[in-house]
């Protein structure tokens, strides 16, 4: 999610804390099949369901931070095909399904940049890309407003121009995502540090996960816990993308679990089958492959 810190009122105190939007690309170490950013709302890898956009909405309306941020947008960034996740279908299908699922959203969008790269891109690099794009767009807007005749500016435009600050970009994820930082060789320590220090996380609660404990068990996460926002999801939905894909493979109905437009797309392209579920079976995830190559280089 991209967000702008709200300008301070005259008293110098933050206007009522409001949740800044926080989501962006799919976490590289996500243990379950989620669509990045379709995962959105944040990010993920493989399966269609309503949960991803729901994550973003939950984060956006979190009462605990109202006023602190002005939400600009939510970005879903589907992972590259070379990530190596078991059952990962083609990015073109994941992007198409995500766009269909978000047809009624006026603030979450699907961004194909990550999936269009030649190979898998580390999460921190995806965050850098989108942040730099945010700065570029902000600069373009400032230049436009600067050259605009005063009589053409609305009051809203003028206030926005005068008080605009630098945007912030945060990675939206489920609380169990924090556990993946402990998975050997899945993350580089310097990447974890950059994500939590320079960007920040918004973690949505999940049944069976204790994000506060995960933070307390990590010196690094504890150090930057002020930049990790824990959001309570009061309406629990334990339906997983894996369950939905398995139901589709067995010819069972998933109506009311995912949008009708997505169901039609899946049927039209025959996407989730027993064969597609075996894709990448037995393969290591790309970050683990890269780590093995680095640690154990092939002999000449």
């Amino acid at each position: 999610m991209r967000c702008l810190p709200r300008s301070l009122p005259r008293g110098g105190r933050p206007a009522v804390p409001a949740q800044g939007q926080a989501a962006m690309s799919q976490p590289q170490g996500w243990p379950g099949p989620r669509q990045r950013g379709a995962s959105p709302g944040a990010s993920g890898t493989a399966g269609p369901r309503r949960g991803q956009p729901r994550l973003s909405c939950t984060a956006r309306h979190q009462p605990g931070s109202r006023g602190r941020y002005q939400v600009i947008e939510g970005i879903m960034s589907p992972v590259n095909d070379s990530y190596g996740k078991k059952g990962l279908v083609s990015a073109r299908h994941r992007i198409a399904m995500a766009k269909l699922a978000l047809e009624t959203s006026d603030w979450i969008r699907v961004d194909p940049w990550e999936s269009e790269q030649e190979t898998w891109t580390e999460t921190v690099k995806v965050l850098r890309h989108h942040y730099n794009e945010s700065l570029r767009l902000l600069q373009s807007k400032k230049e436009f407003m600067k050259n605009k005749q005063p009589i053409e500016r609305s009051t809203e435009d003028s206030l926005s121009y005068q008080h605009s600050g630098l945007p912030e970009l945060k990675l939206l994820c489920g609380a169990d995502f924090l556990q993946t930082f402990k998975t050997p060789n899945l993350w580089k320590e310097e990447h974890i540090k950059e994500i939590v220090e320079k960007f920040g996380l918004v973690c949505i609660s999940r049944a069976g996960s204790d994000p506060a404990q995960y933070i307390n068990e990590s010196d690094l996460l504890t150090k930057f816990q002020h930049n990790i926002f824990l959001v309570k999801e009061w309406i629990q939905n334990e339906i997983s993308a894996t369950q939905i894909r398995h139901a589709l493979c067995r010819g069972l109905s998933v109506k009311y679990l995912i949008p009708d437009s997505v169901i039609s797309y899946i049927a039209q392209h025959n996407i989730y089958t027993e064969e597609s579920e075996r894709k990448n079976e037995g393969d290591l995830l790309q970050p683990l492959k890269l780590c093995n190559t680095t640690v154990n280089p092939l002999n000449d």
Side-chain angles (χ1 to χ4, degrees):
M1 291 167 144
R2 282 199 303 140
C3 51
L4 280 174
R6 288 192 182 277
S7 56
L8 296 180
R10 292 179 184 175
R13 303 170 64 88
V16 197
Q19 163 90 22
Q21 207 177 345
M24 213 238 54
S25 76
Q26 170 194 342
Q28 69 189 50
W30 196 265
R34 316 209 93 191
Q35 196 148 339
R36 250 195 186 180
S39 71
S43 130
T45 51
R49 70 185 189 98
R50 296 182 185 270
Q52 280 77 17
R54 174 64 190 173
L55 284 180
S56 287
C57 290
T58 300
R60 189 188 194 194
H61 297 291
Q62 168 64 13
S65 23
R66 283 186 191 139
R68 286 182 62 180
Y69 295 107
Q70 172 191 355
V71 174
I72 299 174
E73 66 175 347
I75 307 171
M76 285 190 170
S77 178
V79 73
N80 190 278
D81 286 342
S82 64
Y83 179 59
K85 180 77 179 180
K86 181 178 180 294
L88 185 66
V89 301
S90 169
R92 72 181 181 89
H93 289 314
R94 287 181 282 120
I95 290 170
M97 289 187 289
K99 287 182 176 179
L100 288 171
L102 294 171
E103 283 179 323
T104 59
S105 177
D106 59 358
W107 65 281
I108 307 175
R109 67 179 174 85
V110 182
D111 192 294
W113 180 85
E114 180 181 356
S115 66
E116 292 173 348
Q117 302 310 296
E118 291 185 3
T119 186
W120 168 76
T121 304
E122 293 161 308
T123 297
V124 72
K125 294 179 181 178
V126 180
L127 288 166
R128 291 173 194 160
H129 163 77
H130 286 291
Y131 184 69
N132 289 334
E133 283 296 295
S134 296
L135 294 181
R136 185 184 62 80
L137 291 172
L138 178 64
Q139 185 60 35
S140 297
K141 181 178 180 181
K142 284 185 175 181
E143 289 296 324
F144 174 77
M145 291 303 301
K146 182 179 178 180
N147 297 326
K148 199 173 183 182
Q149 294 297 325
I151 195 171
E152 295 177 317
R153 296 182 193 166
S154 67
T155 302
E156 183 178 352
D157 284 341
S158 298
L159 290 174
S160 174
Y161 174 68
Q162 293 171 18
H163 300 291
S164 60
L166 290 177
E168 293 185 15
L169 179 67
K170 298 189 183 298
L171 180 64
L172 176 64
C173 58
D176 50 345
F177 167 66
L178 295 177
Q179 281 185 295
T180 70
F181 286 152
K182 298 166 60 177
T183 303
N185 303 324
L186 191 60
W187 293 88
K188 295 176 182 177
E189 188 77 5
E190 62 269 26
H191 286 184
I192 299 175
K193 182 176 185 294
E194 182 174 346
I195 289 172
V196 296
E197 178 183 18
K198 295 185 177 180
F199 297 103
L201 299 173
V202 175
C203 302
I204 311 298
S205 65
R206 284 231 173 101
S209 294
D210 186 350
Q213 179 181 337
Y214 304 152
I215 293 173
N216 290 334
E217 291 174 349
S218 167
D219 292 338
L220 182 59
L221 296 184
T222 299
K223 180 178 180 180
F224 296 106
Q225 61 184 319
H226 63 277
N227 210 18
I228 302 175
F229 300 89
L230 303 181
V231 179
K232 175 69 175 179
E233 171 58 274
W234 294 100
I235 305 174
Q236 295 294 328
N237 180 358
E238 299 307 315
I239 298 173
S240 72
T242 302
Q243 292 171 326
I244 290 176
R245 294 201 318 274
H246 287 172
L248 289 166
C249 288
R250 296 165 184 166
L252 302 177
S253 173
V254 293
K255 192 172 179 62
Y256 307 119
L257 297 178
I258 58 178
D260 287 347
S261 57
V262 177
I263 294 176
S264 297
Y265 184 93
I266 291 171
Q268 179 184 350
H269 297 276
N270 193 31
I271 297 175
Y272 293 105
T273 63
E274 290 185 5
E275 181 180 355
S276 71
E277 284 297 283
R278 289 193 296 269
K279 184 178 180 181
N280 299 323
E281 190 171 31
D283 287 354
L284 286 175
L285 296 179
Q286 189 64 19
L288 297 178
K289 285 182 181 179
L290 293 177
C291 179
N292 285 349
T293 302
T294 303
V295 175
N296 299 307
L298 293 176
N299 294 324
D300 292 335

